[in-house]
Amino acid sequence: MVGFFYSSPHFNGNPKAIEKAKNQKVIIYPKGFTITWGNDKRYWRFPRQSRNLKESSAAAELLQVSWLEVTCWTDNVEIGKSYKVGFNVSMTAAAFGWKGCEVYIMAKIGKAGKFVYKKMCLDGKASDGQTKFNMPEDNLIITVKPPSTSPGDNRLYFGMYEVWSGKWKGGLKIHHAFVEKVGN
């Protein structure tokens, strides 16, 4: 019998690449992201294979895509509390295609929840590969409320998206994503 092996072009995040600090802060490293076209070496470069999925110095590097979709989630949140979410990124010297592109950071509670979002333009951001900054620059805050459509699904889902312009873009390095409790 001949077997059939199917490999998805998308990268599915490993939950072991998530660092949790008891409902205060969550860091999600690149191996914890779910990335559309992330398994295709023409589009994305990942940190070298390592036993340590939580390498803080490693980044996922966008080589070129027209469809940017990087998502992650955490269940390390409490109902009634507010959290800021975002991504820590940098731009390479060879970054291209960002002029006029609005990148959205979107978050929701539960799979059926309603998104809240912030948008920002990456045009003109430092492109030395070293200067890191957070997206969004001002906080995207979401309050955890029990979802009415999917009781019990209190996960916080969030992501980075630029899927509307159709422009090819590259040179973005994503160092980690974060979820941080706001207030008590």
Side-chain angles (χ1 to χ4, degrees):
M1 179 175 164
V2 176
F4 177 74
F5 179 77
Y6 174 73
S7 177
S8 170
H10 310 305
F11 182 83
N12 291 315
N14 185 333
K16 292 180 181 173
I18 299 173
E19 195 172 297
K20 298 177 182 180
K22 185 115 172 126
N23 294 323
Q24 298 298 316
K25 187 170 185 171
V26 175
I27 299 291
I28 303 167
Y29 296 100
K31 296 283 181 156
F33 302 154
T34 296
I35 301 178
T36 300
W37 299 111
N39 263 349
D40 192 318
K41 291 181 184 351
R42 296 174 297 173
Y43 304 128
W44 286 91
R45 181 178 303 135
F46 277 93
R48 294 191 189 274
Q49 278 297 75
S50 167
R51 289 191 175 279
N52 183 4
L53 294 170
K54 298 176 184 175
E55 288 184 56
S56 60
S57 62
E61 183 178 348
L62 169 61
L63 302 175
Q64 62 173 355
V65 293
S66 65
W67 184 283
L68 175 64
E69 183 175 345
V70 178
T71 62
C72 40
W73 62 269
T74 184
D75 56 4
N76 199 44
V77 294
E78 295 176 70
I79 292 175
K81 302 298 181 182
S82 295
Y83 296 85
K84 68 179 178 178
V85 301
F87 292 85
N88 183 260
V89 301
S90 62
M91 304 294 282
T92 68
F96 65 93
W98 298 104
K99 187 174 176 102
C101 283
E102 292 181 328
V103 178
Y104 286 74
I105 305 299
M106 302 170 70
K108 66 181 179 177
I109 302 300
K111 283 225 181 229
K114 184 178 178 183
F115 275 110
V116 294
Y117 66 89
K118 294 260 181 165
K119 60 184 174 179
M120 68 181 285
C121 215
L122 294 179
D123 189 29
K125 291 292 179 193
S127 58
D128 59 8
Q130 305 300 313
T131 305
K132 297 179 185 177
F133 57 95
N134 287 338
M135 290 181 57
E137 294 167 313
D138 53 348
N139 296 332
L140 173 59
I141 308 274
I142 187 164
T143 301
V144 180
K145 297 176 184 169
S148 57
T149 53
S150 302
D153 185 3
N154 297 325
R155 288 181 175 168
L156 188 151
Y157 296 91
F158 66 106
M160 176 189 311
Y161 304 87
E162 199 298 296
V163 300
W164 301 277
S165 74
K167 291 181 178 181
W168 284 87
K169 52 210 148 285
L172 176 70
K173 285 185 162 186
I174 307 173
H175 301 278
H176 66 265
F178 59 87
V179 175
E180 202 169 321
K181 189 174 181 182
V182 178
N184 293 328

